[in-house]
Amino acid sequence: MVNRIWPRFVDFTRSLRFRLTLWNTIVVLVTVIVALLAVREGLRYYLLIETDAVLDDEVKEIVLMVEKFHPEREQVIAALKRKDVAHLDVGWHIRWLDEDGETAIWSSTLAPDKPLSKLPFSTKERNVYSSERHREIEREIENPKVPNYKIRVGTLMKFIDEDVDRLTRILAPVGLLILLLAPLGGLLLAKQAIEPLQRLIKTTERLRPSHLDERLELRGVGDELDQLAGKINTFLDQIADHLRKNREFVANAAHDLRSPLAAIQSSVEVTLEKSRSVPEYEELLYQITDEVHHLGQLVNQLLQLAETEATEADIPVEPVALAEIVTKTIEMFEPVAEESGLRLLFEPAKEIVVLGQSRQLRQVLTNLVDNAIKFTEKGGTVTIGLDFDSKRENGLLTVSDTGIGIPPDAVDRVFDRFYQVEKSRQRFGAKRGNGLGLSICQSIVQSIGGTIAVASQLGKGTTFSVSLPLSSG
Ligand SMILES: Nc1ncnc2c1ncn2[C@@H]1O[C@H](COP(=O)(O)OP(=O)(O)OP(=O)(O)O)[C@@H](O)[C@H]1O
Ligand SMILES: [Mg+2]
């Protein structure tokens, strides 16, 4: 039994509900205790002020009497005695002190034996004295017959203490009640706060990688939990989208790998069907080599895509001089351009150094120039441009051609993996592609914090612009 209850209790103590209850109880208790103490001390202070004022009135009355009527010493004492008797039942006492303030000329029977200490807020006209048991107010008498003598009227502190204790006795049960109710209130409050969270947890439990169309319910109140649910839903949308693209990618990759394999297989089968002449064998072997080459290229592209995506987060970058990369690429493509009857132009005007990886940036430029040559008719021009962007924050690499262009409805899709506008569009004789070149460009450029864009006019030409962060900026 204990074995089962204890772990559940430990779990409960770890829960948000428990912590909220505990915190609420502690806060309520501390507040209540501080409030009760404040009320108690406030009352004591108020009673002291009141007592001082009443005692002071009495002192002033005596002082006024002596200063106004100039009575003899015996007359003063007689008057004091009368007053003393009148105030005996309220515990007051009166003292008539010498000008040194210590020797008593006359004092009531209730007057304290021990000296009282003077309080700091005494003034020149009115002194306040206090001890644990007594409180006194003192004023000076200015009378030619009794010069600079002092009158003190005092009372017992126990009256104030009794009042304060009475209040404490009234407030104590209230405090005790709050003490008992605080955890209950805390539990209720925690339940209110946790409920929507628990609903959120329940829905989250239903989510499966294979079942990502489930979304968290928004309560429409716009609080933090709604915001959290909204954020999780957006994240789920992104994951679902990512998974969908990945599935498509795998399906496309499998399909594209199968086509050359099927071609190779049928070529081999045809070759083996009967014995053939050497030129026939040569012809079939060329076909097979062509397919193997295409297959190799496709596998390389797939590997490259996987590599850039895997290292996207922490790719090491270095300063790369773009002009150098362009020059090398042009050297590589010049023979192909010449063979295709195209002009390849580049005017290195500016020294632009960007942050990236030399090998990968070369790959980007190679893919773009390869496309430009592939999709431009004989006699056309391919121009490579290099400049700063308008804000001089990035380096801008452009590849423009005067080729067949891209239809407006396809422009947005050219960066999708395996997307080709039409397989048959490319210039006669160019090697066939896989529709992966631009997606590789995009993932490389994005991995180093750049952007790639395309602008095209059907039948007139296309420009690809790659913006890359400058090394100095
Ligand atoms: N300069 C261009 N002019 C016209 N169309 C283009 C141009 N560049 C790309 N395209 C279109 O975009 C599609 C995708 O280009 P991408 O480079 O990704 O693939 P690909 O060149 O067909 O094959 P791969 O690059 O994998 O060998 C091309 O098939 C083509 O239809
Ligand atoms: Mg390409």
Side-chain angles (χ1 to χ4, degrees), residues 364-365 367-372 375 383-386 396-401 405-406 410-415 421 425 437-439 441-442 451-456 461-467:
V364 171
L365 193 58
N367 286 359
L368 294 180
V369 176
D370 177 58
N371 281 351
F375 298 104
T383 314
I384 302 178
L386 196 52
L396 204 60
L397 180 66
T398 51
V399 177
S400 316
D401 62 55
I406 304 169
V411 169
D412 288 339
R413 303 186 55 198
V414 288
F415 294 106
V421 176
R425 288 188 340 140
L438 286 177
S439 39
C441 289
Q442 191 183 46
T451 53
I452 182 165
V454 55
S456 185
T462 306
T463 299
F464 280 91
S465 319
V466 180
S467 165

Side-chain angles (χ1 to χ4, degrees), residues 27-42:
V27 169
V28 170
L29 285 188
V30 171
T31 316
V32 166
I33 290 170
V34 169
L36 290 185
L37 287 178
V39 168
R40 206 181 119 104
E41 289 314 301

